[in-house]
Amino acid sequence: MDNIKQLWGFLKPYKWYFFMALLMIIITCFALSISPNYEGDLTSLLMANATDIMNGVDNAHVDFDVFFDIVKILISIYILKTISQSITTITLTYSIQSAMHDLRNALLEKVRKLPVSYFDKHHNGDVLSYITNDVDTLSTALQQTLSELIRGSLMLILGIIMMLRINVTMTLLVLLIIPLGLIITRIDIHFSQAKFNGQQEKLAELNATITEMYTGYKEILLFNKQESAIEQFKSINEELRDNAFMAQFLSSIISPCISLVTYIIIGSIGFMGCMNVIKGTMLVGELQAFVRYIWNVNDPISQVSQLSSQVQSAFAAMYRILTLLNEQEEYDINESKAISINESIDFHDLCFGYNDTEIIHHLNLHIKSGQTVAIVGPTGSGKTTLISLLLRFYDSISGSIIIDSVDIKDIPREDLRKMFGFARNMVISWQYL
């Protein structure tokens, strides 16, 4: 629920377009709900006129005046439905795509504020996947499924109301579709949602792997790692295939199961309705309208089953996106301090490690003003780490770094990086010494 509220924060600036779309959806559903009644009236009218003509009733004829009056009403309803659907498409598209535009900007701004340690734990391709694949998945789901789900819910409610007006007993039988359909859907989603989550995770992992392979293409050739790179890609690709196959398979079996239940109930309704028509307690047009309303009840449940894959993918994508947006940012103090590097720099009893594994143990280093110090060592000895600590890309586990008698934790990171902006570049040459 918190995720929905956070997502609504991006839709809120365009809420009037969104509410306009909802209003048009309501009008569309109202038009679709009343049209079967008039279609049934046409059938009942023609049936009554044909019966009178066959029975030789005096002045029996097809009442074209009433017929065309009903046709005019139906044409007006269809035009209203078409206009409201068009407006829904325009306003809903604008509100959702504008919200996705803001969401991408928010993700980009968030990435700029994340600490360097975040990128040590997440591949570049994985981070890129948040802004590309996950946002696209969420956008597509909102664009294609949101209006269908809202329309389906309204059609379900209106369909039940219209059926109750025709025959209560038959309506109660039709309502069996809803609990049976929900039970089938709930059981299926319980197993398939994990596969959809796995699909999004493996897709991100695949993107990360491809990005690393293309970025390090020369290194792969240099160290003759072509075969291992291919095997790594195949392994992740197969895992993605397995998750995607099971996710799509499990979500696709909902519709046939619900359709089976629906057709069984329609057959029962057809038998009961025909008996009522024979008894004279129901008109043929009412039975026709009732069967149409059955589909108004069945369609929303079928839509949920057909769109379940997109809905579940969207929830998985939304969870990943909002997880990134809720990541802790690189904290910094606001006040700038007038610090120079004319005095000494002291590393005092400094301890540090990545992922809780300590690699620098109680380092003590005193660098006087004007003194030149070379940091020499093989790859992995901590040269870059030492400079990263000095620039506060990371904070130490314990100990301190003192500049001009001030702990660097009391100095804004931006000020530090302005002072030592050159130092990061020097590491490139130091690591080869």
Side-chain angles (χ1 to χ4, degrees), residues 57-114:
V57 177
D58 293 338
N59 298 321
H61 64 285
V62 177
D63 195 342
F64 284 105
D65 291 336
V66 177
F67 178 85
F68 284 115
D69 286 341
I70 297 175
V71 169
K72 290 176 183 177
I73 294 173
L74 280 172
I75 292 174
S76 301
I77 292 173
Y78 296 149
I79 292 174
L80 177 64
K81 176 184 73 71
T82 302
I83 294 174
S84 61
Q85 284 179 327
S86 300
I87 297 175
T88 297
T89 302
I90 294 171
T91 54
L92 192 62
T93 299
Y94 177 80
S95 60
I96 289 176
Q97 293 305 320
S98 298
M100 293 302 103
H101 173 269
D102 294 346
L103 181 58
R104 286 189 180 93
N105 287 336
L107 285 171
L108 181 60
E109 187 65 24
K110 183 69 178 185
V111 168
R112 291 173 177 171
K113 296 179 180 179
L114 291 174

Side-chain angles (χ1 to χ4, degrees), residues 209-228:
T209 302
I210 292 173
T211 301
E212 287 189 351
M213 287 182 178
Y214 275 99
T215 303
Y217 178 71
K218 294 181 180 179
E219 286 76 9
I220 292 174
L221 294 180
L222 179 64
F223 292 99
N224 196 28
K225 294 292 184 179
Q226 297 94 318
E227 293 299 325
S228 62

